[in-house]
Amino acid sequence: MAGGAGDSEEGITGINVTPLVDITLVLLIIFMVTAKIIVSQSVPLDLPKAASGTDVQTVFSIIMAANGAALVDSKPIPNDDALFAIARDAHAKNAELRAVIKADAAVPHGRVIHVLDLLKQAGVSKIAFGVTPILPMGGPAGSGSGTAPTAPPP
């Protein structure tokens, strides 16, 4: 018999390339689709631009203390509503003004939102919030890192 399996004592001497090509093409398609998904999930960033390093970003700093005091660029202001005129003047001088709000954890949420609203009304659209970083778990012993701050006992 010409095609019988039992008559031949020779081993398989050729390699069928078709399954290898099929697997390679499937892997190529998987990598192309995965790369497209990974690129589309990237976080859009507004990175600062600098060509020579001589340009300095102007930062408009607002510090809100728990006792009700507020500082704008390290100068005290009588109340939060006075911030509007200062922010409008600063934005008029520099259209790329960036504001950073640093509020104490005990400052009411409504007050922070009011300051945020005043900044947006003044035309400041680039706003950030200042935070203090917390060390990850396993930091120095006794530092209390990785845990949330607790409220003082009443």
Side-chain angles (χ1 to χ4, degrees):
M1 297 173 127
D7 294 343
S8 175
E9 298 210 8
E10 297 177 19
I12 300 174
T13 57
I15 296 176
N16 191 358
V17 184
T18 305
L20 180 64
V21 171
D22 289 344
I23 291 172
T24 305
L25 289 176
V26 168
L27 287 175
L28 178 65
I29 292 171
I30 290 172
F31 286 137
M32 288 171 42
V33 170
T34 306
K36 179 66 177 168
I37 290 172
I38 290 173
V39 169
S40 67
Q41 289 182 350
S42 65
V43 177
L45 297 176
D46 180 21
L47 297 176
K49 298 169 183 67
S52 63
T54 58
D55 295 336
V56 177
Q57 281 187 356
T58 305
V59 177
F60 189 70
S61 174
I62 300 115
I63 300 172
M64 301 169 65
N67 62 3
L71 301 171
V72 175
D73 289 336
S74 301
K75 297 174 190 153
I77 58 173
N79 57 25
D80 292 340
D81 293 327
L83 172 70
F84 177 74
I86 299 170
R88 188 182 58 220
D89 293 341
H91 184 264
K93 291 177 185 174
N94 184 2
E96 294 295 318
L97 183 70
R98 295 179 184 268
V100 177
I101 299 173
K102 297 178 184 177
D104 192 277
V107 173
H109 178 70
R111 183 173 173 220
V112 175
I113 296 300
H114 178 66
V115 167
L116 183 65
D117 188 44
L118 289 172
L119 287 171
K120 288 190 176 190
Q121 287 176 10
V124 179
S125 61
K126 297 179 181 179
I127 301 170
F129 291 95
V131 296
T132 302
I134 297 175
L135 295 174
M137 295 297 281
S143 67
S145 62
T147 59
T150 57

